[in-house]
Amino acid sequence: MRQIWACAITATFFGHAAFAEQTLEGRLVTFSVLTYDDPDLPILQARGKTVMVGKGVEFDLGPEGLTAGLDVVPVTVEIGPSRIELSYPLGQGDFWTSTFNGYVLRFETECALFKAVTIDTAYTTMDLTPADIRSETGALCLNVSGRRYGPGQRAALDILVEDCPII
């Protein structure tokens, strides 16, 4: 059964802040790669991987094999208490251009986990804008369609986490 997560745009800019009582640590999260022009007809929907957020790198994805001529670009994802960092250690090029080509992080929660998500422009080397970030309840989507990837390319999202119970 195919699952597609639609995410409403809720990104806003604000100063970097950490909130110790609201955290992503200790939460279960599933990370997946998704590409589509029509959300009901995905071009690529990679296998998701689920982990509990803790210290160190949560996801270190590599190619999964071609689907419709596309494959997963190697990416490393580290999730902190209120921050998500992505980097591209191998290969280089431009992401396939489509309506959405990016990442879906689905946290196990039943409440609106994200009060706000901002791009750390001092750390981020990718050409991302607030329109590339979408969230809904526990899902965070990052669209990297058409962006450059490779060594030296990285992105960081600062998260203002809502006080949601960990399930």
Side-chain angles (χ1 to χ4, degrees):
M1 178 171 160
R2 217 183 275 168
Q3 262 190 322
I4 306 255
W5 298 299
C7 299
I9 295 175
T10 59
T12 58
F13 277 96
F14 65 96
H16 177 75
F19 296 87
E21 65 277 10
Q22 291 97 3
T23 183
L24 298 175
E25 285 189 345
R27 296 182 184 276
L28 283 177
V29 59
T30 301
F31 180 81
S32 183
V33 175
L34 179 63
T35 304
Y36 63 77
D37 284 320
D38 176 348
D40 293 327
L41 300 167
I43 299 165
L44 171 71
Q45 186 170 9
R47 294 184 297 270
K49 181 177 176 187
T50 302
V51 301
M52 182 175 292
V53 176
K55 302 291 182 204
V57 171
E58 275 71 27
F59 303 101
D60 194 7
L61 294 183
E64 293 184 356
L66 292 177
T67 301
L70 301 176
D71 201 350
V72 173
V73 169
V75 61
T76 300
V77 182
E78 185 169 349
I79 304 173
S82 62
R83 184 176 174 92
I84 299 171
E85 293 182 358
L86 297 95
S87 60
Y88 302 89
L90 303 171
Q92 63 182 11
D94 296 324
F95 286 99
W96 178 265
T97 301
S98 60
T99 301
F100 183 88
N101 183 10
Y103 309 112
V104 179
L105 291 99
R106 171 143 321 263
F107 290 84
E108 298 295 324
T109 184
E110 295 177 2
C111 68
L113 185 59
F114 311 107
K115 283 186 182 179
V117 180
T118 61
I119 300 164
D120 178 347
T121 56
Y123 178 88
T124 299
T125 59
M126 296 179 82
D127 184 25
L128 299 175
T129 70
D132 296 320
I133 304 166
R134 300 176 289 162
S135 66
E136 168 188 287
T137 310
L140 180 65
C141 304
L142 177 62
N143 190 359
V144 293
S145 175
R147 303 304 194 285
R148 183 149 255 342
Y149 67 86
Q153 295 295 325
R154 63 182 188 260
L157 303 176
D158 290 321
I159 314 290
L160 181 56
V161 180
E162 182 68 66
D163 190 15
C164 290
I166 295 176
I167 359 186

